[in-house]
Amino acid sequence: MFYNIAIVIVRIAVMFVFRLRFVGRENVPAHGGVIVAFNHRSNWDPIMAGLSCRRQLCFMAKEELFKNPVFGGLIKSLGAFPVSRGKSDISSIKAALRILSDGKAMLMFPEGHRIKNNKKVKAKPGVAMIAQRARVPVVPVCISGEYKWMRKITVTYGKPMTFEEYYGKKSDQDQIQLAADKVLEEIRKLNETHEEAVND
């Protein structure tokens, strides 16, 4: 209930800052565990993810944000759970798998952190590794446009990707990295499609 109320309030506020356009939201399965993978350029991105997706998104947040009990409680009620950055955090991986096993949707950024100036980087393997272990699809999503006053921000959802060929098999680092790179490549293709439409 709190999440839905918060989304409505934030949506109204953001409408006075940007012009929003959401494309392909029906590509997110209405039920069952799913990873919704976004590109990451700005602190605005998690907000746009929450506003655009028709399902509540659970997401990882650095553990330092939970040290303040008030703020930590707030973001926890919005679907956040803590992760230790810079090291392998088994507890956060287990939490992610539990969330997906419960049939919920989870937000992830394959790039791992904010990337500016459209710099191309390799995807972090986590998105594919968790998708393989949880046996859930990944929906690639691209946020396009500049976060400037009354500029159009377009959030484009691609078709779900599955990695069924890896289900039930021992994780191979090279294969997992390849799968993660494919997710990021699909996100980039969505951005290229958006730019072509704008320039036509």
Side-chain angles (χ1 to χ4, degrees):
M1 177 64 74
F2 176 77
Y3 182 89
N4 294 332
I5 294 173
I7 286 294
V8 171
I9 293 174
V10 173
R11 185 190 297 272
I12 293 172
V14 170
M15 285 175 60
F16 290 98
V17 182
F18 308 118
R19 293 184 294 129
L20 306 180
R21 178 171 178 257
F22 305 142
V23 180
R25 293 190 294 172
E26 66 279 3
N27 288 326
V28 178
H31 306 285
V34 60
I35 294 174
V36 189
F38 287 75
N39 59 325
H40 196 12
R41 307 169 302 148
S42 164
N43 288 329
W44 280 99
D45 295 334
I47 297 173
M48 288 301 156
L51 290 179
S52 64
C53 190
R54 289 172 173 166
R55 294 179 61 179
Q56 178 174 352
L57 295 173
C58 299
F59 57 97
M60 299 180 183
K62 57 183 180 181
E63 61 182 356
E64 292 82 2
L65 296 176
F66 293 85
K67 290 182 178 180
N68 182 306
V70 176
F71 184 74
L74 174 62
I75 61 175
K76 187 175 181 180
S77 66
L78 293 174
F81 61 96
V83 59
S84 298
R85 300 177 68 178
K87 61 181 180 181
S88 178
D89 187 348
I90 302 300
S91 63
S92 64
I93 294 175
K94 288 182 177 179
L97 294 176
R98 186 164 56 251
I99 285 168
L100 294 168
S101 177
D102 289 341
K104 297 178 181 179
M106 192 172 77
L107 162 67
M108 292 191 73
F109 295 113
E111 293 155 316
H113 54 86
R114 284 177 292 158
I115 303 297
K116 297 183 178 180
N117 302 319
N118 293 321
K119 180 181 177 181
K120 288 194 173 183
V121 298
K122 290 187 67 175
K124 299 295 183 182
V127 62
M129 180 268 290
I130 292 175
Q132 179 221 14
R133 293 189 184 182
R135 302 189 181 191
V136 298
V138 178
V139 177
V141 191
C142 181
I143 302 174
S144 307
E146 293 186 88
Y147 288 115
K148 294 184 178 181
W149 179 258
M150 293 311 294
R151 292 288 184 90
K152 180 183 285 187
I153 301 296
T154 301
V155 184
T156 307
Y157 287 75
K159 298 292 184 181
M161 304 173 65
T162 59
F163 302 103
E164 295 179 1
E165 64 270 28
Y166 303 137
Y167 291 175
K169 297 181 179 179
K170 184 178 180 180
S171 297
D172 179 279
Q173 290 185 346
D174 291 337
Q175 291 178 328
I176 292 298
Q177 183 62 57
L178 179 61
D181 288 337
K182 285 182 179 179
V183 173
L184 191 52
E185 183 59 33
E186 286 300 314
I187 294 173
R188 289 172 178 153
K189 287 180 181 178
L190 292 172
N191 185 52
E192 291 169 0
T193 301
H194 167 77
E195 290 181 346
E196 290 173 359
V198 170
N199 294 327
D200 284 345

